[in-house]
Coordinates of all heavy atoms in Angstrom, one line a residue:
Y32 N -46.2 -106.6 51.5 CA -47.0 -106.1 50.4 C -46.2 -106.3 49.1 O -46.7 -106.7 48.0 CB -47.4 -104.7 50.5 CG -48.3 -104.3 49.4 CD1 -49.6 -104.9 49.3 CD2 -48.0 -103.3 48.5 CE1 -50.5 -104.5 48.3 CE2 -48.8 -103.0 47.4 CZ -50.1 -103.6 47.3 OH -50.9 -103.3 46.3
D33 N -44.8 -106.1 49.1 CA -44.0 -106.4 47.9 C -44.1 -107.8 47.5 O -44.2 -108.2 46.3 CB -42.5 -106.0 48.2 CG -42.3 -104.5 48.3 OD1 -43.2 -103.7 48.0 OD2 -41.2 -104.1 48.7
D34 N -44.2 -108.8 48.5 CA -44.3 -110.2 48.2 C -45.7 -110.4 47.5 O -45.8 -111.3 46.6 CB -44.2 -111.0 49.5 CG -42.8 -111.1 50.0 OD1 -41.8 -110.8 49.3 OD2 -42.6 -111.5 51.2
E35 N -46.7 -109.7 48.0 CA -48.0 -109.9 47.4 C -48.0 -109.4 45.9 O -48.6 -110.0 45.0 CB -49.1 -109.1 48.2 CG -50.5 -109.2 47.7 CD -51.5 -108.4 48.6 OE1 -51.3 -108.4 49.8 OE2 -52.4 -107.9 48.0
L36 N -47.4 -108.2 45.7 CA -47.2 -107.7 44.3 C -46.5 -108.7 43.5 O -46.8 -109.0 42.3 CB -46.5 -106.4 44.3 CG -47.2 -105.2 44.9 CD1 -46.3 -104.0 45.0 CD2 -48.5 -104.8 44.0
R37 N -45.4 -109.3 44.0 CA -44.6 -110.2 43.3 C -45.4 -111.5 42.9 O -45.3 -112.0 41.8 CB -43.3 -110.6 44.2 CG -42.2 -111.2 43.4 CD -41.0 -111.4 44.3 NE -40.3 -110.2 44.6 CZ -40.3 -109.5 45.7 NH1 -40.9 -109.9 46.8 NH2 -39.6 -108.4 45.9
A38 N -46.1 -112.0 43.9 CA -46.9 -113.2 43.7 C -48.0 -113.1 42.6 O -48.3 -114.0 42.0 CB -47.6 -113.7 45.0
N39 N -48.5 -111.8 42.5 CA -49.5 -111.5 41.5 C -48.9 -111.0 40.2 O -49.7 -110.5 39.3 CB -50.5 -110.6 42.1 CG -51.3 -111.2 43.2 OD1 -51.9 -112.3 43.0 ND2 -51.4 -110.6 44.3
G40 N -47.6 -111.0 40.0 CA -47.0 -110.6 38.8 C -46.9 -109.1 38.5 O -46.7 -108.7 37.4
H41 N -47.0 -108.3 39.6 CA -46.9 -106.9 39.5 C -45.6 -106.3 39.9 O -45.3 -105.1 39.5 CB -48.0 -106.2 40.3 CG -49.4 -106.7 39.9 ND1 -49.9 -106.4 38.6 CD2 -50.4 -107.3 40.6 CE1 -51.1 -106.9 38.6 NE2 -51.5 -107.4 39.7
F42 N -44.8 -107.0 40.6 CA -43.5 -106.5 41.1 C -42.4 -106.8 40.0 O -42.0 -108.0 39.9 CB -43.1 -107.1 42.4 CG -41.9 -106.4 43.1 CD1 -42.1 -105.4 44.0 CD2 -40.6 -106.8 42.8 CE1 -41.1 -104.8 44.7 CE2 -39.6 -106.2 43.4 CZ -39.8 -105.2 44.4
A43 N -42.0 -105.9 39.3 CA -41.0 -106.1 38.2 C -39.6 -105.7 38.7 O -38.6 -106.0 37.9 CB -41.4 -105.3 37.0
G44 N -39.4 -105.2 39.8 CA -38.1 -104.8 40.4 C -38.2 -103.6 41.3 O -39.2 -103.0 41.4
G45 N -37.1 -103.4 42.0 CA -37.1 -102.2 42.9 C -35.8 -102.2 43.7 O -35.2 -103.3 43.9
E46 N -35.5 -101.1 44.2 CA -34.3 -100.9 45.0 C -34.5 -99.8 46.0 O -35.1 -98.8 45.6 CB -33.1 -100.6 44.2 CG -32.6 -101.7 43.3 CD -32.1 -102.9 44.0 OE1 -31.6 -102.8 45.1 OE2 -32.1 -104.0 43.4
A47 N -34.1 -100.0 47.2 CA -34.0 -98.8 48.2 C -32.7 -98.1 47.9 O -31.8 -98.6 47.3 CB -34.0 -99.4 49.6
L48 N -32.7 -96.8 48.2 CA -31.5 -96.0 48.0 C -30.9 -95.6 49.3 O -31.6 -95.5 50.3 CB -31.9 -94.7 47.3 CG -32.5 -94.9 45.9 CD1 -32.9 -93.5 45.3 CD2 -31.6 -95.6 44.9
Q49 N -29.6 -95.5 49.3 CA -28.9 -95.0 50.5 C -29.3 -93.5 50.7 O -29.9 -92.9 49.8 CB -27.4 -95.2 50.4 CG -27.0 -96.7 50.4 CD -25.5 -96.9 50.4 OE1 -24.8 -96.0 50.7 NE2 -25.1 -98.1 50.2
P50 N -29.0 -93.0 51.9 CA -29.4 -91.6 52.2 C -28.9 -90.6 51.2 O -27.9 -90.8 50.5 CB -28.8 -91.3 53.6 CG -28.6 -92.7 54.1 CD -28.3 -93.6 53.0
P51 N -29.6 -89.4 51.1 CA -29.2 -88.4 50.1 C -27.8 -87.9 50.2 O -27.2 -87.6 49.2 CB -30.2 -87.3 50.4 CG -31.4 -87.9 51.1 CD -30.8 -89.1 51.8
E52 N -27.3 -87.9 51.4 CA -25.9 -87.5 51.6 C -24.9 -88.4 50.9 O -23.7 -88.0 50.7 CB -25.5 -87.2 53.0 CG -25.7 -88.4 54.0 CD -27.1 -88.5 54.6 OE1 -28.0 -87.8 54.1 OE2 -27.3 -89.3 55.5
T53 N -25.3 -89.6 50.5 CA -24.3 -90.5 49.8 C -24.4 -90.2 48.2 O -23.6 -90.8 47.5 CB -24.7 -91.9 50.0 OG1 -26.0 -92.3 49.5 CG2 -24.6 -92.2 51.5
A54 N -25.3 -89.3 47.8 CA -25.5 -89.1 46.4 C -24.3 -88.3 45.8 O -23.6 -87.5 46.5 CB -26.8 -88.3 46.1
T55 N -24.1 -88.5 44.5 CA -23.2 -87.7 43.7 C -24.0 -87.3 42.5 O -24.7 -88.0 41.9 CB -22.0 -88.6 43.2 OG1 -21.3 -89.1 44.4 CG2 -21.0 -87.8 42.4
T56 N -23.9 -86.0 42.2 CA -24.6 -85.4 41.1 C -23.6 -85.0 40.0 O -22.6 -84.3 40.2 CB -25.5 -84.2 41.5 OG1 -26.4 -84.7 42.5 CG2 -26.2 -83.6 40.4
L57 N -24.0 -85.4 38.7 CA -23.2 -85.0 37.6 C -23.9 -83.9 36.8 O -25.1 -84.0 36.6 CB -22.9 -86.1 36.6 CG -22.3 -87.4 37.2 CD1 -22.1 -88.5 36.2 CD2 -21.0 -87.1 37.9
R58 N -23.2 -82.9 36.4 CA -23.7 -81.8 35.5 C -22.7 -81.5 34.4 O -21.5 -81.6 34.6 CB -24.0 -80.5 36.3 CG -25.0 -80.6 37.4 CD -25.1 -79.2 38.1 NE -26.2 -79.2 39.1 CZ -26.0 -79.7 40.3 NH1 -24.9 -80.2 40.7 NH2 -27.0 -79.6 41.2
W59 N -23.2 -81.0 33.3 CA -22.4 -80.6 32.2 C -22.2 -79.1 32.4 O -23.2 -78.3 32.3 CB -23.0 -80.9 30.9 CG -22.1 -80.7 29.7 CD1 -22.1 -79.7 28.8 CD2 -21.0 -81.6 29.3 NE1 -21.1 -79.8 27.9 CE2 -20.4 -81.0 28.2 CE3 -20.5 -82.7 29.8 CZ2 -19.3 -81.5 27.6 CZ3 -19.4 -83.3 29.2 CH2 -18.8 -82.7 28.1
V60 N -21.0 -78.6 32.7 CA -20.7 -77.2 32.9 C -19.5 -76.8 32.1 O -18.4 -77.4 32.2 CB -20.5 -77.0 34.4 CG1 -20.2 -75.5 34.7 CG2 -21.7 -77.4 35.3
N61 N -19.6 -75.8 31.3 CA -18.5 -75.2 30.5 C -17.8 -76.3 29.7 O -16.6 -76.4 29.7 CB -17.5 -74.5 31.5 CG -18.2 -73.3 32.1 OD1 -19.0 -72.6 31.5 ND2 -17.8 -73.1 33.4
G62 N -18.5 -77.2 29.1 CA -17.9 -78.2 28.2 C -17.3 -79.4 28.9 O -16.6 -80.2 28.2
K63 N -17.6 -79.6 30.2 CA -17.1 -80.8 30.8 C -18.0 -81.2 32.0 O -18.8 -80.4 32.4 CB -15.6 -80.6 31.3 CG -15.5 -79.5 32.4 CD -14.0 -79.3 32.8 CE -13.9 -78.2 33.8 NZ -12.6 -78.0 34.3
V64 N -17.7 -82.4 32.5 CA -18.6 -82.9 33.6 C -18.1 -82.3 34.9 O -16.9 -82.2 35.2 CB -18.5 -84.4 33.7 CG1 -19.2 -85.0 34.9 CG2 -19.0 -85.1 32.4
S65 N -19.1 -81.8 35.6 CA -18.8 -81.3 37.0 C -19.5 -82.3 38.0 O -20.6 -82.7 37.8 CB -19.5 -79.9 37.1 OG -19.5 -79.5 38.5
V66 N -18.7 -82.7 39.0 CA -19.2 -83.7 39.9 C -19.3 -83.0 41.3 O -18.4 -82.3 41.8 CB -18.2 -84.9 40.1 CG1 -18.7 -85.9 41.1 CG2 -18.0 -85.5 38.7
T67 N -20.5 -83.1 41.9 CA -20.7 -82.5 43.2 C -21.3 -83.6 44.1 O -22.0 -84.5 43.7 CB -21.7 -81.3 43.2 OG1 -22.9 -81.7 42.6 CG2 -21.1 -80.2 42.4
D68 N -21.1 -83.4 45.4 CA -21.6 -84.3 46.4 C -23.1 -83.9 46.7 O -23.4 -82.8 46.6 CB -20.8 -84.3 47.7 CG -19.4 -84.8 47.6 OD1 -19.2 -85.6 46.7 OD2 -18.6 -84.4 48.3
G69 N -23.9 -84.9 47.0 CA -25.2 -84.7 47.4 C -26.2 -84.8 46.3 O -25.9 -84.9 45.1
P70 N -27.5 -84.7 46.7 CA -28.6 -84.8 45.7 C -28.7 -83.6 44.8 O -28.1 -82.5 45.2 CB -29.8 -85.0 46.5 CG -29.5 -84.3 47.8 CD -28.0 -84.6 48.0
Y71 N -29.4 -83.7 43.7 CA -29.5 -82.6 42.8 C -30.3 -81.4 43.4 O -29.9 -80.3 43.3 CB -30.2 -83.1 41.5 CG -30.6 -82.0 40.5 CD1 -29.6 -81.3 39.8 CD2 -31.9 -81.6 40.3 CE1 -29.9 -80.3 39.0 CE2 -32.2 -80.6 39.5 CZ -31.2 -79.9 38.8 OH -31.5 -78.9 37.9
A72 N -31.4 -81.7 44.0 CA -32.3 -80.6 44.5 C -32.3 -80.6 46.0 O -32.2 -81.6 46.7 CB -33.7 -80.8 44.0
E73 N -32.4 -79.4 46.6 CA -32.7 -79.2 48.0 C -34.2 -79.3 48.2 O -34.9 -78.3 47.9 CB -32.1 -77.9 48.5 CG -30.6 -77.9 48.4 CD -29.9 -78.9 49.3 OE1 -30.4 -79.1 50.4 OE2 -28.8 -79.4 48.9
T74 N -34.7 -80.4 48.7 CA -36.1 -80.5 49.0 C -36.3 -81.1 50.4 O -35.4 -81.7 50.9 CB -36.8 -81.4 47.9 OG1 -36.3 -82.7 48.0 CG2 -36.6 -80.8 46.5
K75 N -37.5 -81.0 50.8 CA -37.9 -81.5 52.1 C -37.9 -83.0 52.1 O -37.4 -83.7 53.0 CB -39.3 -81.0 52.6 CG -39.7 -81.5 53.9 CD -41.0 -81.0 54.3 CE -41.4 -81.5 55.7 NZ -42.8 -81.1 56.1
E76 N -38.3 -83.6 51.0 CA -38.3 -85.1 50.8 C -37.4 -85.5 49.7 O -37.2 -84.8 48.7 CB -39.8 -85.5 50.4 CG -40.8 -85.2 51.5 CD -42.2 -85.3 51.0 OE1 -42.4 -85.0 49.9 OE2 -43.1 -85.6 51.8
Q77 N -36.7 -86.6 49.9 CA -35.7 -87.1 49.0 C -36.2 -88.5 48.5 O -36.9 -89.2 49.2 CB -34.4 -87.2 49.6 CG -33.8 -85.9 50.1 CD -33.4 -85.0 49.0 OE1 -33.1 -85.4 47.9 NE2 -33.4 -83.7 49.2
I78 N -35.8 -88.9 47.3 CA -36.1 -90.2 46.8 C -35.5 -91.2 47.7 O -34.3 -91.2 48.0 CB -35.7 -90.4 45.4 CG1 -36.4 -89.4 44.5 CG2 -35.9 -91.8 44.9 CD1 -35.9 -89.4 43.0
G79 N -36.3 -92.1 48.2 CA -35.8 -93.2 49.1 C -35.7 -94.5 48.4 O -35.0 -95.4 48.8
G80 N -36.4 -94.7 47.3 CA -36.3 -95.9 46.5 C -37.2 -95.9 45.3 O -37.9 -95.0 45.1
I81 N -37.0 -96.9 44.5 CA -37.8 -97.1 43.3 C -38.5 -98.5 43.3 O -37.9 -99.4 43.8 CB -37.0 -96.9 42.0 CG1 -35.9 -98.0 41.8 CG2 -36.4 -95.5 41.9 CD1 -35.3 -98.0 40.5
L82 N -39.6 -98.6 42.7 CA -40.3 -99.8 42.5 C -40.7 -99.9 41.1 O -41.3 -98.9 40.6 CB -41.5 -99.9 43.5 CG -42.2 -101.3 43.5 CD1 -42.8 -101.4 44.9 CD2 -43.3 -101.4 42.5
I83 N -40.5 -100.9 40.4 CA -40.9 -101.1 39.0 C -42.1 -102.0 39.0 O -42.0 -103.1 39.5 CB -39.8 -101.7 38.1 CG1 -38.6 -100.8 38.2 CG2 -40.3 -101.8 36.7 CD1 -37.3 -101.3 37.5
L84 N -43.2 -101.5 38.6 CA -44.5 -102.1 38.7 C -45.0 -102.5 37.4 O -44.9 -101.7 36.4 CB -45.5 -101.1 39.4 CG -46.8 -101.5 39.9 CD1 -46.7 -102.5 41.1 CD2 -47.6 -100.3 40.3
E85 N -45.6 -103.7 37.3 CA -46.3 -104.1 36.1 C -47.8 -103.9 36.3 O -48.3 -104.5 37.3 CB -45.9 -105.6 35.8 CG -46.4 -106.1 34.5 CD -45.8 -105.4 33.3 OE1 -44.5 -105.3 33.3 OE2 -46.5 -105.0 32.3
A86 N -48.5 -103.1 35.5 CA -49.9 -102.8 35.7 C -50.6 -102.7 34.3 O -49.9 -102.4 33.3 CB -50.1 -101.6 36.5
R87 N -51.9 -102.9 34.3 CA -52.6 -102.8 33.1 C -52.6 -101.3 32.5 O -52.5 -101.1 31.3 CB -54.1 -103.2 33.3 CG -54.3 -104.6 33.6 CD -55.8 -105.0 33.7 NE -56.5 -104.2 34.7 CZ -56.6 -104.5 35.9 NH1 -56.1 -105.6 36.4 NH2 -57.3 -103.8 36.8
D88 N -52.7 -100.4 33.4 CA -52.8 -99.0 33.0 C -52.5 -98.1 34.3 O -52.3 -98.7 35.3 CB -54.1 -98.6 32.4 CG -55.3 -99.0 33.3 OD1 -55.2 -98.9 34.5 OD2 -56.4 -99.3 32.7
L89 N -52.5 -96.8 34.1 CA -52.2 -95.9 35.2 C -53.2 -96.1 36.4 O -52.8 -96.1 37.5 CB -52.2 -94.5 34.8 CG -51.9 -93.4 35.8 CD1 -50.6 -93.7 36.5 CD2 -52.0 -92.0 35.3
N90 N -54.5 -96.3 36.1 CA -55.4 -96.5 37.2 C -55.1 -97.7 38.0 O -55.2 -97.7 39.2 CB -56.9 -96.5 36.6 CG -57.4 -95.2 36.2 OD1 -56.9 -94.1 36.7 ND2 -58.3 -95.1 35.2
H91 N -54.7 -98.8 37.3 CA -54.4 -100.0 38.0 C -53.1 -99.8 38.8 O -53.0 -100.3 40.0 CB -54.1 -101.1 36.9 CG -53.9 -102.5 37.5 ND1 -53.0 -103.4 37.0 CD2 -54.5 -103.1 38.6 CE1 -53.1 -104.5 37.7 NE2 -53.9 -104.3 38.7
A92 N -52.1 -99.1 38.3 CA -50.9 -98.8 39.0 C -51.2 -98.0 40.3 O -50.7 -98.2 41.4 CB -49.9 -98.0 38.2
I93 N -52.1 -97.0 40.2 CA -52.5 -96.2 41.3 C -53.2 -97.1 42.3 O -52.9 -97.0 43.5 CB -53.5 -95.0 40.9 CG1 -52.7 -94.0 40.1 CG2 -54.1 -94.4 42.1 CD1 -53.5 -93.0 39.3
Q94 N -54.1 -97.9 41.9 CA -54.8 -98.9 42.8 C -53.8 -99.7 43.5 O -53.9 -99.9 44.8 CB -55.8 -99.7 42.0 CG -56.5 -100.7 42.8 CD -57.4 -101.7 41.9 OE1 -57.1 -101.8 40.7 NE2 -58.4 -102.2 42.5
L95 N -52.8 -100.3 42.8 CA -51.8 -101.2 43.5 C -51.0 -100.4 44.5 O -50.8 -100.8 45.6 CB -50.9 -101.8 42.4 CG -51.6 -102.9 41.5 CD1 -50.7 -103.2 40.4 CD2 -52.0 -104.1 42.3
M96 N -50.5 -99.2 44.1 CA -49.6 -98.5 45.0 C -50.3 -97.8 46.1 O -49.7 -97.6 47.2 CB -48.8 -97.4 44.2 CG -47.7 -98.0 43.3 SD -46.6 -99.2 44.1 CE -45.8 -98.2 45.3
S97 N -51.6 -97.6 46.0 CA -52.4 -97.0 47.1 C -52.4 -97.9 48.3 O -52.6 -97.4 49.4 CB -53.8 -96.7 46.6 OG -53.9 -95.7 45.6
K98 N -52.2 -99.2 48.1 CA -52.2 -100.1 49.2 C -50.8 -100.3 49.8 O -50.7 -101.0 50.8 CB -52.7 -101.5 48.7 CG -54.1 -101.5 48.2 CD -54.5 -102.8 47.6 CE -55.9 -102.7 46.9 NZ -56.2 -104.0 46.2
H99 N -49.8 -99.7 49.2 CA -48.4 -99.9 49.7 C -48.2 -99.2 51.0 O -48.5 -98.0 51.1 CB -47.4 -99.5 48.7 CG -46.1 -100.1 48.9 ND1 -45.3 -99.7 50.0 CD2 -45.4 -101.0 48.2 CE1 -44.1 -100.4 49.9 NE2 -44.2 -101.2 48.9
P100 N -47.7 -99.8 52.0 CA -47.5 -99.2 53.3 C -46.6 -97.9 53.2 O -46.7 -97.0 54.0 CB -46.8 -100.3 54.2 CG -47.2 -101.5 53.6 CD -47.4 -101.2 52.1

Side-chain angles (χ1 to χ4, degrees):
Y32 189 65
D33 289 349
D34 287 343
E35 184 179 325
L36 290 172
R37 198 175 284 108
N39 291 311
H41 299 299
F42 190 96
E46 295 291 336
L48 299 176
Q49 291 188 15
E52 56 271 11
T53 66
T55 300
T56 300
L57 306 179
R58 292 180 180 84
W59 191 256
V60 180
N61 298 324
K63 63 182 179 177
V64 173
S65 170
V66 180
T67 57
D68 292 336
Y71 174 69
E73 294 295 325
T74 61
K75 183 178 177 185
E76 296 163 330
Q77 298 290 335
I78 296 175
I81 63 167
L82 189 149
I83 303 170
L84 190 66
E85 189 66 46
R87 291 184 305 271
D88 55 30
L89 179 58
N90 287 333
H91 187 219
I93 291 169
Q94 179 186 23
L95 292 168
M96 289 310 297
S97 293
K98 298 175 187 172
H99 200 288

